[in-house]
């Protein structure tokens, strides 16, 4: 009966979606194009005119980011690797007190699994995390390093996208097996189990189910290296729907080294079967020398119904789903009032008023349930069985549920995010289950104890068990890495890498300014822009960044009038007004009325604080809302600005980006997740759709109205949710009537953008020709308004960039990454790369003042003496040698000179402010004569570095190259 109902429901949904699919939809980008884009990205980085830029990571690190795997050296577990979902691979030799990244510049740095051959120092990285989340980025295959991560070789499987597990043969390093989950947002045939016998040079797929079912886990029989067990998983994610279960989910066994496979999760095996079987995790160990096999499963069948009886909860949603109008009228005002209060209904809905609405047939009783069933509640309110654990002691022929009652609180509705199980290699009764919580059993899964300690984040994805010292655990979760030496009774954190996954960032205009960011599963944070990583905060207990809000942190807007009032929130439109100083917090945001169709809010609901009047706040649901009083009251200023929603279990047909013109109040743009863009030029009285010429069904990832021309507007589209990885960037000069695609190397002007989804586009506030673009693999800057692009310089990793902000007082570019926290880089020199500058052969830019210090070059006890640094930036049209000199301005005395290697584009020379010893006598006489007190002799002696440094005066820096000369004054104060 259930199967028939499922088929009928699927046909109905397909019929409803038919008009949607009749419109051409984006197609998945072939692996060849993605690898070519990676090559293009490397070329852009090497040949960029902006290699002199040095982005600095400004944290935070304390809350870390999603970990997908950990692997420690069994003979010395102070050495281990940590793989992050989108933050790359990090290595520690100090038990987690310090890490270094080792996988920052490959074609993709998202990681699903790693495997380390510690004996031979070989690392295998399977790219593309397997958690199937909203920001689970697609990888580009398998990579191998034979030198501890210094260099990497690609080892194939380009269409894998998401690699779930790598298993190494215990004795033959040339043999390994890989579980390929496959594409996330599109069907593909390259899923399944792959085997190599030549170290990854060639591969054979040995297990395949169908184009929607991939391999999610794999383990070896500890007693026989020729016996393997594999788990397959059917899942289908779309922007509007996620089905995390299906007939393709199951367990398989191979007895010939992974060449042939037999399905062992059959109807008579005792393991769940059918279309409600979700993600499966596997592990194997020994008990008294015999193999014990475990399989965790996300069981999406409904829980058994319990007998209804008296309840202390009062009136419940389940009762209201089926109550008749007559019986509803019999409820007491106290019963109904308690329900309304408990569920935080607006005060206007009193028990008496609601009864009146039902009695007059204006709303049905179930409206009191539907009013509360927003997307966020649906994440947690579920009747699934959820997490279950099964055990087999006969090689998978039969399975027994180990615990009977459902393991509540482990999966909710997102079991696709978890379902990993681990057991001790030589004592398989010691078993650990990873889900929302981490729990432990000492009796083979019969009884359980939570070890999710006070210092441990929820959402667990990785666990390493020390085979030599039982009870030593390394756990990876959405909050980073935790270590335990007492089997989870207590934990410490190892969160020194800055690997936060930010969705959005902002700055205020204080001095020094602060940075704000909303992070995946780690809330909203604020910290100083001057942050430098240090452990000193552990002495004071005051970490520089502070948490403002929990949940999945989202967009932030700061009122620059006081730099204290801010607006931010968590997933699905739950926003608040916060006073940062007092920590006062008020829930804000529009709500539908009882009986109305619920508003649709995107996971990352967009907000915008008007720069014209900062009491005015905009918020996008499927309509655009405006508040004139800081969010206390709201009015819809549009109708539905989407295609009307889509049948599914994920809110769709929602606004994703809104922006108001800096030049005109009420000139607003609103873009949606289903590919629509609208404009109003009169504050919402009339709206015009301006997206008809765009490729269809792409996500409007960012819209930016120009600060230079009223009619100019930029828009970035993303095909990520179709596995379409091309770059879509457009500009209009006439309010969106016509569009020009940019970033494609127009008129042969220069490099185009690589084929990478674009998440953000920003216009420079000083130079109208400068554009900044953040993609799934980095930052690109255009000096000519989008005709060509340069890669950001410095050692910037190939990390997803979700947001860019330019702080107007300092001209710092803030970079919000989804995997490496936040960066800042000063762009004053870039802003001066105007068309006029770019036609010059040599230009030296203004040099910032520096204050003299007698501590320059001074050696502190047990430390190395350091020179001061004065950054001198210049532009040159060609690569080659240049000669520089420093002179005293008034006397013309040459104090120092040298040569440097210049590259085409922006350069930065760091002058250490020393002068040559031969000039000392004349220099001292000049400074002495300039002193107001000639009787006070001036002493200049060498510092601990052996150098003498410039004193207070004005100097001339001169640069000569190919007969061209550039000069700038600078001052030592």
């Amino acid at each position: 009966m259930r199967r028939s109902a499922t088929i009928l429901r699927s046909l109905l949904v397909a019929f409803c979606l038919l008009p949607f699919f009749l419109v051409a939809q984006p197609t998945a980008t072939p692996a060849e194009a993605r690898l070519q884009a990676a090559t293009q990205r490397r070329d852009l980085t090497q040949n960029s005119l902006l290699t002199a830029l040095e982005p600095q990571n400004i944290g935070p690190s304390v809350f870390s980011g999603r970990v997908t795997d950990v692997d420690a050296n069994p003979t010395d577990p102070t050495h281990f690797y940590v793989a992050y979902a989108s933050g790359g691979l990090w290595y520690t030799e100090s038990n987690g007190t310090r890490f270094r990244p080792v996988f920052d510049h490959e074609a993709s740095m998202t990681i699903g699994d790693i495997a380390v051959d510690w004996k031979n120092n070989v690392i295998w990285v399977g790219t593309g995390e397997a958690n199937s989340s909203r920001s689970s980025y697609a990888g580009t295959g398998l990579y191998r390093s034979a030198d501890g991560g210094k260099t990497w070789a690609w080892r194939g499987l380009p269409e894998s996208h998401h690699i779930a597990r790598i298993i190494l043969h215990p004795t033959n390093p040339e043999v390994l097996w890989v579980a390929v989950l496959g594409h996330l947002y599109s069907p593909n045939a390259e899923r399944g189990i792959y085997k190599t016998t030549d170290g990854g040079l060639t591969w054979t797929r040995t297990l395949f189910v169908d184009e929607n079912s991939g391999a999610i886990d794999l383990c070896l029989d500890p007693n026989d290296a020729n016996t393997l067990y594999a788990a397959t998983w059917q899942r289908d994610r779309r922007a509007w729907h996620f089905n995390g279960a299906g007939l393709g989910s199951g367990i398989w066994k191979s007895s010939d080294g992974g060449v042939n496979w037999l399905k062992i999760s059959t109807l008579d095996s005792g393991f769940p079967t059918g279309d409600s079987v979700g993600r499966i995790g596997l592990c194997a160990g020994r008990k008294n020398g015999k193999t014990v096999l475990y399989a965790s499963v996300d069981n999406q069948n409904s829980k058994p119904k319990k007998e209804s009886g008296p309840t202390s909860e009062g009136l419940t949603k389940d009762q209201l789903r089926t109550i008749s109008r007559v019986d509803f009228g019999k409820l007491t005002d106290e019963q109904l009032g308690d329900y309304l209060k408990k569920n935080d209904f607006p005060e206007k809905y009193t028990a008496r008023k609601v009864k009146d609405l039902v009695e007059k047939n204006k709303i049905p009783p179930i409206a009191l349930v539907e009013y509360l069933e927003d997307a966020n509640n649906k994440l947690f309110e579920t009747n699934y069985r959820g997490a279950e654990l099964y055990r087999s002691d006969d090689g998978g022929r039969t399975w027994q549920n180990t615990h009977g009652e459902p393991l509540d609180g482990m999966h909710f509705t997102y079991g696709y995010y978890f379902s990993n199980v681990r057991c001790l290699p030589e004592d398989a009764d010691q078993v650990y289950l990873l889900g929302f919580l981490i729990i432990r059993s000492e009796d083979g899964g019969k009884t359980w104890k939570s070890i999710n300690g006070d210092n441990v984040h929820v959402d667990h994805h990785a666990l390493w068990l020390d085979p030599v010292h039982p009870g030593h655990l390394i756990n990876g979760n959405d909050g980073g890495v935790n270590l335990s030496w007492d089997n989870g009774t207590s934990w410490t954190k190892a969160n020194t890498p800055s690997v936060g996954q930010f969705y959005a960032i902002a700055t205020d205009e204080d001095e020094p300014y602060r940075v704000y960011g909303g992070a995946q599963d780690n809330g909203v944070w604020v910290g100083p822009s001057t942050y430098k990583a240090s452990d000193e905060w552990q002495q004071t207990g005051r970490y520089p960044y502070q948490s403002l809000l929990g949940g999945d942190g989202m967009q932030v807007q700061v009122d620059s009038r006081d730099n204290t009032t801010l607006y931010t929130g968590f997933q699905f439109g739950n926003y608040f007004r916060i006073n940062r100083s007092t920590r006062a917090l008020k829930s804000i945001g529009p709500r539908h009325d009882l009986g109305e169709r619920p508003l649709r809010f995107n996971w990352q609901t967009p907000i915008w604080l008007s720069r014209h009047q900062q009491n005015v706040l905009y918020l996008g649901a499927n309509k655009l809302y405006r508040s004139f009083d800081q969010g206390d009251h709201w009015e819809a200023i549009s109708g539905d600005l989407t295609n009307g929603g889509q049948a599914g279990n994920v809110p769709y047909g929602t606004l994703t980006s809104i922006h108001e013109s800096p030049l005109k109040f009420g000139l607003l743009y609103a873009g949606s997740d289903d590919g629509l863009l609208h404009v109003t030029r009169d504050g919402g009285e009339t709206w015009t759709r301006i997206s008809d010429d765009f490729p269809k069904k792409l996500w409007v990832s960012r819209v930016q109205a120009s600060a230079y021309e009223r009619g100019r507007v930029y828009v970035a589209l993303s095909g990520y949710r179709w596995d379409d990885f091309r770059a879509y960037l457009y500009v209009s000069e006439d309010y969106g009537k016509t569009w020009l695609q940019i970033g494609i190397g127009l008129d042969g002007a220069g490099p185009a953008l690589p084929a990478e989804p674009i998440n953000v586009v920003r216009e420079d506030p000083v130079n109208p020709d400068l554009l900044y673009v953040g993609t799934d693999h980095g930052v690109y800057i255009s000096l000519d308004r989008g005709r060509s692009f340069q890669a950001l310089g410095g050692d910037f990793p190939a990390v997803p960039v979700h947001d860019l902000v330019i702080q107007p007082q300092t001209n710092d570019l803030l970079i919000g990454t989804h995997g490496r926290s936040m960066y800042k880089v000063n762009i004053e020199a870039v802003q001066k790369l105007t068309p006029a500058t770019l036609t010059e052969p040599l230009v030296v830019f203004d040099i910032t003042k520096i204050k003299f210090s007698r501590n320059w070059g001074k050696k502190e006890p047990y430390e190395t003496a350091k020179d001061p640094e004065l950054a001198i930036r210049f532009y040159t049209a060609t690569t080659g040698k240049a000669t520089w000199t420093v002179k005293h301005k008034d006397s013309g005395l040459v104090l120092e000179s040298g040569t440097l290697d210049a590259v085409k584009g922006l350069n930065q020379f760091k002058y250490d402010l020393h002068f040559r010893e031969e000039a000392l006598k004349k220099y001292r006489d000049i400074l002495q004569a300039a002193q107001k007190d000639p009787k006070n002799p001036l002493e200049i002696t060498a510092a601990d570095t052996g150098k003498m440094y410039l004193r207070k005066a004005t100097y001339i820096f001169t640069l000569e190259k190919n007969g061209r000369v550039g000069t700038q004054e600078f001052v030592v104060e």
Side-chain angles (χ1 to χ4, degrees):
M1 185 67 180
R2 175 180 169 83
R3 177 66 178 151
S4 300
T6 301
I7 294 173
L8 182 61
R9 185 169 62 247
S10 299
L11 290 173
L12 181 61
V13 169
F15 178 77
C16 293
L17 296 181
L18 188 58
F20 181 75
F21 282 105
L22 288 177
V23 180
Q25 63 189 48
T27 56
T29 303
E32 294 83 358
R34 298 184 64 217
L35 292 170
Q36 183 181 357
T39 300
Q40 184 183 355
R41 180 170 74 245
R42 282 191 286 267
D43 291 342
L44 274 170
T45 302
Q46 292 171 3
N47 301 318
S48 175
L49 298 178
L50 307 175
T51 55
L53 295 180
E54 296 180 343
Q56 297 175 325
N57 191 286
I58 57 169
S61 63
V62 66
F63 62 76
S64 193
R66 185 162 68 247
V67 174
T68 53
D69 199 14
V70 292
D71 200 326
N73 187 338
T75 61
D76 182 1
T78 63
H79 293 211
F80 61 88
Y81 291 92
V82 179
Y84 293 88
S86 54
L89 181 66
W90 294 72
Y91 179 57
T92 179
E93 297 175 318
S94 59
N95 204 37
T97 61
R98 287 290 179 270
F99 287 85
R100 59 180 171 87
V102 295
F103 194 72
D104 275 10
H105 301 291
E106 303 311 309
S108 55
M109 59 186 288
T110 170
I111 300 177
D113 194 50
I114 61 172
V116 184
D117 179 354
W118 291 97
K119 292 180 181 177
N120 298 299
N121 196 31
V122 173
I123 314 164
W124 294 89
V125 170
T127 58
E129 72 160 316
N131 289 320
S132 301
S133 187
R134 290 170 176 83
S135 57
S136 293
Y137 290 95
T140 49
L142 198 70
Y143 292 80
R144 179 183 184 271
S145 175
D147 54 12
K150 295 177 183 176
T151 60
W152 294 89
W154 183 67
R155 281 292 187 265
L157 305 180
E159 289 288 1
S160 56
H161 277 212
H162 300 274
I163 290 177
R165 195 72 67 210
I166 305 167
I167 297 295
L168 307 181
H169 193 282
T171 58
N172 187 345
E174 297 297 303
V175 175
L176 57 152
W177 301 266
V178 175
V180 170
L181 185 55
H183 293 193
L184 179 55
Y185 283 98
S186 59
N188 75 304
E190 294 84 1
R191 308 175 190 262
I193 300 295
Y194 286 80
K195 180 180 181 178
T196 180
T197 57
D198 55 12
L201 298 178
T202 60
W203 292 91
T204 302
R205 188 179 64 187
T206 61
L207 174 60
F208 173 71
V209 177
D210 59 55
E211 62 180 10
N212 291 306
S213 304
I216 186 60
D217 212 346
L218 186 62
C219 71
L220 273 176
D221 189 315
N223 287 312
D224 180 7
N226 279 319
T227 299
L228 294 96
Y229 301 91
T232 57
W233 177 31
Q234 180 174 332
R235 56 96 163 94
D236 178 32
R237 183 177 270 285
R238 295 289 184 267
W240 58 91
H241 187 74
F242 184 62
N243 183 11
L247 294 172
S249 303
I251 305 175
W252 305 73
K253 181 177 181 178
S254 173
S255 301
D256 56 6
V259 176
N260 296 287
W261 296 88
L262 176 68
K263 190 171 185 179
I264 57 175
S265 56
T266 59
L267 281 171
D268 56 356
S269 68
F271 194 82
T273 59
D275 59 3
S276 294
V277 177
R279 179 172 172 171
I280 298 169
L282 299 173
C283 74
R286 295 186 182 95
K287 182 67 177 178
N288 299 323
K290 295 183 179 180
T291 298
V292 175
L293 184 64
Y294 288 104
S296 58
V297 62
D298 176 32
N299 189 336
Q300 295 187 14
N301 284 294
S302 298
K303 291 179 182 176
K305 285 189 178 181
K306 293 185 179 179
E307 302 245 343
S308 60
T311 174
S312 60
E313 295 179 4
L315 189 62
T316 67
K317 287 195 231 178
D318 285 340
Q319 290 171 319
L320 288 173
R321 289 182 199 278
T322 56
I323 196 171
S324 67
R325 290 182 189 274
V326 174
D327 289 338
F328 185 86
K330 296 177 182 177
L331 295 173
T332 67
D333 287 355
E334 183 180 7
Q335 285 177 302
L336 187 53
D338 286 345
Y339 175 86
L340 297 172
K341 184 177 180 180
K342 182 176 67 175
N343 290 287
D344 197 28
F345 276 74
E347 291 182 0
K348 66 180 180 179
Y349 293 120
T350 63
R352 189 64 265 160
K353 182 173 182 179
V354 171
K355 279 189 172 183
D356 187 58
L357 290 171
V358 173
E359 183 179 346
K360 293 180 178 178
N361 209 26
K362 291 184 177 180
I363 63 168
I366 198 173
L368 291 167
V369 179
E370 293 172 342
Y371 185 84
L372 301 172
E373 290 191 328
D374 60 29
N376 197 57
N377 286 333
K378 288 181 178 179
L379 283 176
F380 301 99
E381 294 182 2
T382 173
N383 194 40
Y384 291 166
R385 287 180 180 268
E388 291 184 331
L389 185 66
Y390 289 80
R391 172 172 172 154
S392 177
D393 293 283
D394 57 9
R397 286 193 297 272
T398 60
W399 298 87
Q400 295 80 37
N401 181 297
T402 67
H403 48 86
E405 288 295 314
L407 299 172
D408 289 331
M410 290 294 288
H411 280 186
F412 302 105
T413 58
Y414 48 110
Y416 63 85
Y417 203 50
F418 313 119
S419 206
N420 278 301
V421 59
R422 299 288 181 267
C423 66
L424 284 183
E426 300 301 330
D427 183 6
D429 280 348
Q430 303 285 329
V431 60
Y432 305 78
L433 194 60
L434 282 65
F436 179 75
L437 306 172
I438 179 171
I439 57 178
R440 184 187 83 211
S441 174
E442 298 178 357
D443 54 13
K446 295 176 185 176
T447 59
W448 294 91
K449 174 185 178 181
S450 173
I451 55 174
N452 218 104
D454 293 338
N455 202 27
V456 183
H457 199 283
V458 293
D459 296 345
H460 299 270
H461 310 289
L463 183 66
W464 182 82
L465 306 177
D466 194 326
V468 180
H469 302 284
H472 174 209
L473 318 175
I474 306 177
N475 169 233
N477 51 61
D478 272 14
V481 177
N482 288 93
L483 292 83
S484 177
W485 292 90
D486 54 13
N487 212 14
T489 301
S490 62
W491 298 88
T492 60
K493 281 190 180 297
N495 282 356
T496 54
S498 293
V499 288
Q501 295 179 298
F502 282 97
Y503 287 112
I505 62 171
T507 68
D508 60 24
E509 295 184 11
D510 216 341
E511 189 178 343
Y513 67 91
R514 284 171 289 269
V515 292
Y516 303 77
Q520 192 276 330
D521 209 28
N522 281 285
V524 181
W525 291 72
V526 58
S529 58
T530 54
Y531 170 91
K532 291 183 180 179
S534 169
D535 293 331
E536 290 181 1
W537 69 273
Q538 296 183 13
Q539 186 73 11
T540 64
R542 293 190 297 271
Y543 188 71
Y545 280 83
Q546 296 295 310
S547 174
L548 293 171
L549 197 68
D552 286 88
M554 295 297 163
Q555 297 188 8
V556 183
Q557 294 286 293
V558 185
D559 191 328
S560 63
R561 296 173 299 184
D562 61 10
N563 296 310
T564 296
T565 302
L566 60 104
Y567 305 87
T568 189
F570 58 86
Q571 65 269 17
F572 296 129
N574 291 279
Y575 273 88
F576 301 84
R577 185 176 68 238
I578 300 176
N579 183 298
R580 184 180 48 77
S581 297
T582 65
R583 293 303 177 104
L585 179 148
K586 180 179 180 181
S587 177
I588 61 172
R591 299 187 74 171
H592 62 291
D593 285 329
L594 265 175
E596 290 184 344
R597 186 175 180 182
L599 296 173
R600 298 188 300 274
F601 294 99
N602 193 267
W603 173 259
Q604 187 186 158
T605 296
I607 59 171
W608 183 257
L609 187 65
S610 177
R611 301 313 191 250
H612 302 283
Q613 217 303 346
Q614 293 190 66
N615 281 344
V616 178
L617 181 67
Y618 301 97
L619 186 149
N622 51 304
K623 306 173 184 179
L624 185 62
Y625 283 83
R626 179 178 60 202
S627 171
F628 281 116
D629 54 9
Q630 299 182 301
D632 285 338
H633 301 90
W634 295 88
E635 63 170 334
I637 60 171
S638 78
D640 195 332
L641 296 178
T642 76
N643 277 311
Q646 201 65 43
N649 56 12
V650 178
Y652 187 68
T654 66
L655 295 183
T656 50
S657 182
I658 54 179
H659 196 231
E660 183 180 47
S661 168
L663 300 177
K664 182 185 177 184
F665 178 77
L667 172 52
L668 295 156
Y669 294 89
S672 70
D673 56 11
D674 54 6
L676 299 189
L677 182 65
H678 287 81
V679 62
T680 178
R681 297 164 68 176
D682 54 15
E685 291 295 321
T686 57
W687 288 86
T688 303
R689 192 172 72 191
I690 55 176
S691 51
D692 289 352
D693 292 335
F694 290 157
K696 306 304 179 188
K697 302 180 185 177
L698 298 178
W699 193 284
V700 179
S701 55
R702 198 63 54 101
V703 59
Q704 169 97 29
S706 175
Y708 299 99
E709 298 288 343
R710 277 196 183 184
R712 183 178 298 162
V713 59
Y714 299 94
V715 63
L717 309 175
S718 173
Y720 163 84
R721 291 158 188 85
W722 297 93
D723 289 329
D724 176 358
F725 302 112
R726 289 171 287 183
Y728 298 98
L729 184 63
Y730 298 85
V731 64
S732 172
E733 300 289 346
D734 53 11
Y735 303 96
K737 292 179 183 177
T738 59
W739 294 94
L740 174 69
Q741 187 172 4
I742 55 178
I744 54 176
L746 288 172
D747 305 323
L753 288 168
E756 301 169 4
I758 298 175
N759 301 310
V760 57
V761 56
R762 290 281 186 220
E763 184 184 59
D764 188 82
V766 174
N767 183 339
D769 293 312
L770 279 182
L771 286 180
Y772 306 88
V773 165
T775 75
D776 279 355
H777 295 285
V779 176
Y780 301 91
I781 301 174
S782 175
L783 307 177
D784 52 15
R785 217 146 27 93
R787 294 178 66 219
S788 63
F789 278 87
Q790 309 292 324
L792 179 66
D795 192 31
F796 190 75
V799 65
V801 172
H802 275 225
D803 207 0
L804 299 168
V805 172
I806 298 160
Q807 210 285 336
Q809 282 73 40
T810 62
N811 294 312
D812 285 341
L813 173 66
L814 283 301
I815 304 168
T817 78
H818 200 78
R820 294 297 272 273
S821 293
M822 288 186 273
Y823 287 76
K824 76 172 181 180
V825 58
N826 188 268
I827 53 172
E828 283 189 36
V830 182
Q831 290 170 329
K832 293 173 182 176
L833 295 177
T834 62
T837 300
L838 293 170
T839 62
E840 295 291 331
L842 179 66
V843 179
V844 180
F845 300 121
D846 294 344
I847 303 172
T848 305
K849 295 178 182 179
I850 189 168
K851 190 171 184 178
F852 173 77
S853 172
R854 295 189 180 276
N855 290 324
W856 286 352
K858 183 179 179 181
K859 186 180 186 303
E860 298 294 333
Y862 313 109
E863 300 287 343
T864 302
K866 293 182 180 179
D867 291 317
E869 284 186 353
L870 180 67
I872 299 173
R873 296 183 175 90
F874 63 92
Y875 169 81
T876 177
T878 58
T879 297
K881 292 280 185 183
T883 302
W884 61 272
T885 59
V886 173
K887 299 178 183 179
H888 183 263
K889 179 183 178 183
D890 294 335
S891 67
L893 176 66
V894 176
L895 294 165
E896 191 54 275
S897 62
T899 61
L900 57 84
D901 293 317
V903 298
K904 179 181 178 180
L906 185 65
N907 290 258
Q908 179 170 267
F909 169 56
K910 293 181 179 179
Y911 173 42
D912 65 5
L913 291 144
H914 84 278
F915 65 90
R916 62 183 62 161
E917 189 174 352
E918 308 91 85
L920 174 60
K921 185 178 184 305
K922 288 185 179 180
Y923 180 51
R924 184 166 49 198
D925 291 344
I926 292 168
L927 295 180
Q928 183 74 59
Q931 280 194 166
K932 294 181 179 179
D933 183 8
K935 294 181 181 180
N936 183 18
L938 178 67
E939 293 187 8
I940 301 178
T941 58
D944 293 337
T945 56
K947 299 176 183 178
M948 292 176 288
Y949 299 103
L950 299 183
R951 297 301 181 98
K952 290 182 281 186
T954 302
Y955 303 89
I956 302 292
F957 177 84
T958 302
L959 188 67
E960 183 178 359
K961 182 175 180 291
N962 296 335
R964 302 284 183 167
V965 177
T967 63
Q968 281 291 346
E969 289 187 7
F970 69 92
V971 176
V972 177
E973 293 182 322

